[in-house]
Amino acid sequence: MFVPIPILIAAGVLILVLIAMIARAGRRRDPLMGGAPPRAYRGTNPVPVATLPPEVERQVRAQLAAGRKIQAIKIARDATHLGLKETKDLVEALERRAP
C-alpha cells in the first residue's frame, strides 16, 4: 500500500502538535514545573502546636534552645509525619510561643 509523503508528513506534524499540547497542559498544573499549586496548598493553615506529644515537644524545645533548628524540625517531622513546610511552620510556631 502506497501512502503519499505529504500525508505522512502531515500526520507526523499532527502527532507532534498533540504531544506538545498534552505536555503543556500537564505543566500548567504541576507546581514543580512553574504551575499554580493545588488548592489544598494555597492557603496557610496553621498547625496547632498541641499536635506534638509532650516528650517530643521537650526535645524540640531543647534543640531550639541550643540553636539547632534543623535538628528540631527533623525530630518533629519524624514524630508527626507532616510535610517539611508544615513541620517547619509547627516548629516556628513553637519557637514563637513561650515555654
Side-chain angles (χ1 to χ4, degrees):
M1 182 167 109
F2 177 73
V3 179
I5 292 179
I7 293 176
L8 290 175
I9 292 173
V13 168
L14 180 64
I15 289 171
L16 289 175
V17 167
L18 289 173
I19 290 172
M21 288 173 55
I22 290 170
R24 190 163 190 224
R27 188 177 322 144
R28 266 186 253 132
R29 288 175 283 195
D30 187 7
L32 297 176
M33 299 297 288
R39 286 187 184 162
Y41 297 111
R42 285 189 188 156
T44 56
N45 297 331
V47 178
V49 177
T51 58
L52 284 177
E55 178 60 32
V56 175
E57 184 175 339
R58 282 192 294 275
Q59 290 175 355
V60 169
R61 285 189 185 277
Q63 294 296 326
L64 289 173
R68 294 189 292 256
K69 188 174 189 177
I70 294 173
Q71 188 63 29
I73 292 171
K74 287 180 184 179
I75 292 170
R77 190 168 186 207
D78 287 341
T80 60
H81 303 291
L82 292 173
L84 185 59
K85 180 172 180 354
E86 291 84 7
T87 308
K88 179 180 174 279
D89 293 342
L90 175 71
V91 169
E92 287 178 346
L94 189 66
E95 187 177 28
R96 285 190 299 268
R97 199 179 96 195

